[in-house]
Amino acid sequence: MAEGSELMSRLVSENAELKKQVRLMKENQMLKRLLSESCQERGGLGSRDLLFPRAPTYPEDCSPGSAEIQGFCGAQKDGRIVGEIAFQLDRRILAYVFPGLTRLYGFTVANIPEKIKQTCIKSLDGSVDQTRLRELTQRYAALTARLERLGYNREVHPEFSEFLINTYGILRQRPDLRASPPRSPAALRKLLIDVLPPKFLGDSLLLLSCLCELAKEDRKPLFAW
């Protein structure tokens, strides 16, 4: 009991510390967005309205600070891969718990228990489909048990995944596999080590391990589109 209480206290403390870090990360978001839009404009993406005024354009070889901008483009892409890892894990978890359900708007890993109950309510009379409720609950419990063996904590990591997605973003479009081959788990681990501050590294590597575990089962690429 003492060990269990100590573990829970540590997890709660770590979760609180993660929340405090969110505020610090958000302070850099305005600058990151500004540079990101500049990067997108140079890359010809331009698929949405800019949130900031357009910067003056210059020839490629005489753009003031172009090498600073180009370096940020690569860093921004790597950051989006961090968010994509968390997004792909969350999507796989939801797909496993709710097989065959294609419309997942409003579904998050954090609200799975609530959504299980909602999806099991019959539309005609409002009664609960007990068979489906039992099936989905068992699927959720089985998946949670598997991930917990890897260190996943459903009281902490769903919120942490949302934090990574909101902070770093996700990939804007499906990558061209001919020009950019899929990254291996080892390459993604190295990327996390290079991009993330130490405070977030351990939990992010854990999310990647969970994603690799689920990818073995569905036999799809880590980034399934």
Side-chain angles (χ1 to χ4, degrees):
M1 291 295 294
E3 293 181 357
S5 299
E6 180 180 351
L7 175 60
M8 181 59 66
S9 177
R10 180 174 62 83
L11 291 175
V12 170
S13 176
E14 291 179 353
N15 192 27
E17 183 64 24
L18 284 175
K19 291 180 178 179
K20 289 172 58 179
Q21 293 295 326
V22 172
R23 179 181 57 82
L24 298 177
M25 295 290 291
K26 285 183 177 179
E27 291 178 356
N28 294 322
Q29 290 306 300
M30 186 65 71
L31 176 60
K32 291 177 67 177
R33 283 194 179 188
L34 177 60
L35 293 176
S36 176
E37 295 297 346
S38 176
C39 176
Q40 292 164 21
E41 186 176 344
R42 290 170 61 83
L45 295 180
S47 59
R48 63 173 184 166
D49 294 334
L50 294 178
L51 299 178
F52 302 92
R54 291 177 180 269
T57 57
Y58 301 89
E60 181 70 21
D61 58 351
C62 63
S63 301
S66 60
E68 189 268 355
I69 294 294
Q70 291 176 3
F72 179 81
C73 291
Q76 181 75 354
K77 180 180 178 181
D78 288 346
R80 291 189 181 278
I81 292 177
V82 172
E84 188 69 27
I85 291 172
F87 174 77
Q88 290 283 337
L89 174 61
D90 283 4
R91 191 169 69 167
R92 269 183 163 90
I93 292 175
L94 292 172
Y96 182 90
V97 177
F98 302 98
L101 192 62
T102 57
R103 300 184 63 181
L104 293 172
Y105 180 77
F107 285 65
T108 67
V109 176
N111 69 15
I112 283 179
E114 174 188 346
K115 291 299 181 180
I116 287 178
K117 297 176 182 178
Q118 291 182 5
T119 57
C120 292
I121 296 177
K122 298 179 181 179
S123 58
L124 294 179
D125 58 7
S127 62
V128 177
D129 184 338
Q130 294 294 336
T131 300
R132 179 167 173 77
L133 177 63
R134 183 166 53 253
E135 175 190 352
L136 296 185
T137 301
Q138 289 175 349
R139 293 182 68 86
Y140 178 48
L143 179 61
T144 299
R146 286 175 54 193
L147 297 182
E148 284 179 345
R149 286 195 290 270
L150 298 176
Y152 189 89
N153 185 330
R154 62 182 181 180
E155 301 298 327
V156 173
H157 291 110
E159 183 176 345
F160 181 68
S161 289
E162 292 182 11
F163 163 71
L164 291 182
I165 294 169
N166 293 333
T167 300
Y168 293 97
I170 60 177
L171 294 178
R172 292 183 175 273
Q173 59 187 4
R174 183 173 184 169
D176 184 353
L177 299 182
R178 294 170 297 180
S180 179
R183 302 203 184 198
S184 66
L188 290 176
R189 290 188 185 95
K190 184 178 185 305
L191 181 145
L192 293 178
I193 293 172
D194 291 341
V195 170
L196 289 170
K199 183 64 179 180
F200 305 139
L201 182 57
D203 289 291
S204 298
L205 289 173
L206 186 148
L207 297 185
L208 176 59
S209 297
C210 292
L211 177 60
C212 292
E213 174 69 16
L214 297 187
K216 291 178 184 178
E217 178 173 309
D218 60 28
R219 299 183 180 180
K220 294 180 181 179
L222 291 179
F223 291 1
W225 301 85

